[in-house]
Amino acid sequence: MSMAGRFEEALTSVTEPALEGRELLPSRLARAITRMLPVDGAGISLSGGDGRRIPLGASSEDAAVAERLQFTVGAGPCMTAQEAREPVFALYPDLQRRWPAFAHLLQERTRYCAVVALPLREAISGLGAIDLYFHREDAVPELDVFEAMAVGDLVTSALSETAVWSDWEPGHGPEWLHGPAASRRARVWEAMGLVALALELDAATALAVMRAAAYATDGSVDDVAADVLDGRLKPDELRGSGG
C-alpha cells in the first residue's frame, strides 16, 4: 500500500466521537501521525505573519500541554522549525542547551524527553509545523525523516483540500482554524490587549508580562489569559511581571 493509502487508513481509523467535526480535523490528523510514525505524540500548529502561534490539534493531552509550555516560554524546537523552515532534532541534552526553560517544564509536566519538529510546506494559512514527541531518546534515530516529511505533506494536503472544498466566510478561514485549541489561544490575544491597555504597554511587552506571570505560577499563558478575561486576575496585578 502506498504511503498516502496508509495515511488515509490511519486517519479513517480515528473514530473517537469526541473528535468528530471539521474543526477537529487537525486533532484527527495528529492521531493519524502517531499511528503512521514511531512517535509517542504529535501536534500541529501555525505561526502567522504577525508572530502569533496557533495550535491546531494534538494527539493527546500531553502533546497539547507540550505546545502550551513551548508557547509559554516563547521558544522551542517547533517555533525554531517554523522560523527557519528546517527540521529540528532535539534530544533532552539539546533541549537543555538550547531551550532550558522549555526543557525543564517539559520534563516536569509531561513524559516526553525528546522532540522532532518539522516545518510544513507553505500551502496553508501561516507557517505550519508538526511536533513529534518521544518518551525515549533512543527512539529518535528510529524515525525515518523522509517518511516523516512525507507524512507532513499529507497533513498539509488534507488541511488544504478541506479548505478548498468547504464553505467559509472570507477573513474567517476554514473551520479547522477555529477548533478548541485555536479558540483557547485566541483568548490570549484578547487578554493581551487588555493588559497592554491597563499597563500602558505595547503588545509584545504585554505578552512578555503574561508569560512571566504564567512561569511564576506554574501555569501557561493560556491559563493567565483565561484568568484575566474571566475576572479572576486583574491586569493591574500583573504589574512588575516581565517587561
Side-chain angles (χ1 to χ4, degrees):
M1 183 183 293
S2 68
M3 185 175 296
R6 288 167 50 214
F7 187 75
E8 181 62 31
E9 189 174 80
L11 184 57
T12 302
S13 72
V14 181
T15 58
E16 291 89 332
L19 295 179
E20 293 179 357
R22 290 179 178 175
E23 74 280 4
L24 292 171
L25 172 61
S27 295
R28 295 196 298 275
L29 290 168
R31 294 281 181 96
I33 290 170
T34 64
R35 298 180 187 189
M36 279 284 292
L37 301 174
V39 302
D40 299 300
I44 305 171
S45 63
L46 291 178
S47 179
D50 56 1
R52 296 189 177 191
R53 180 177 167 85
I54 305 171
L56 298 180
S59 62
S60 65
E61 180 57 24
D62 249 12
V65 167
E67 188 284 328
R68 291 196 291 270
L69 295 178
Q70 188 168 180
F71 178 67
T72 293
V73 302
C78 190
M79 298 173 81
T80 300
Q82 285 172 320
E83 293 167 1
R85 309 310 297 157
E86 294 180 353
V88 175
F89 294 79
L91 303 182
Y92 194 71
D94 303 312
L95 294 172
Q96 286 182 306
R97 176 175 54 84
R98 300 183 65 181
W99 309 283
F102 173 62
H104 170 71
L105 292 176
L106 187 72
Q107 183 182 58
E108 186 179 72
R109 302 186 197 177
T110 77
R111 296 172 57 199
Y112 303 132
C113 65
V115 182
V116 172
L118 304 173
L120 298 177
R121 57 186 167 88
E122 298 176 41
I124 51 180
S125 176
L127 300 177
I130 56 175
D131 270 340
L132 306 175
Y133 300 106
F134 300 82
H135 292 157
R136 299 176 7 256
E137 289 185 324
D138 59 5
V140 175
E142 299 173 8
L143 179 71
D144 184 327
V145 66
F146 296 105
E147 181 180 31
M149 292 295 287
V151 168
D153 282 346
L154 293 170
V155 167
T156 301
S157 294
L159 293 173
S160 298
E161 288 174 12
T162 301
V164 169
W165 295 108
S166 60
D167 295 325
W168 41 275
E169 297 179 5
H172 183 264
E175 291 181 36
W176 51 256
L177 270 177
H178 305 280
S183 297
R184 177 187 174 106
R185 183 58 47 78
R187 303 195 80 200
V188 170
W189 318 129
E190 186 179 351
M192 187 173 70
L194 293 178
V195 171
L197 183 63
L199 303 184
E200 299 181 340
L201 304 172
D202 59 40
T205 305
L207 181 56
V209 165
M210 293 171 64
R211 280 177 164 149
Y215 194 79
T217 57
D218 293 328
S220 70
V221 177
D222 302 70
D223 296 329
V224 171
D227 286 342
V228 169
L229 294 179
D230 294 341
R232 292 184 295 271
L233 178 65
K234 297 185 183 302
D236 283 346
E237 295 179 74
L238 297 175
R239 197 180 299 277
S241 298

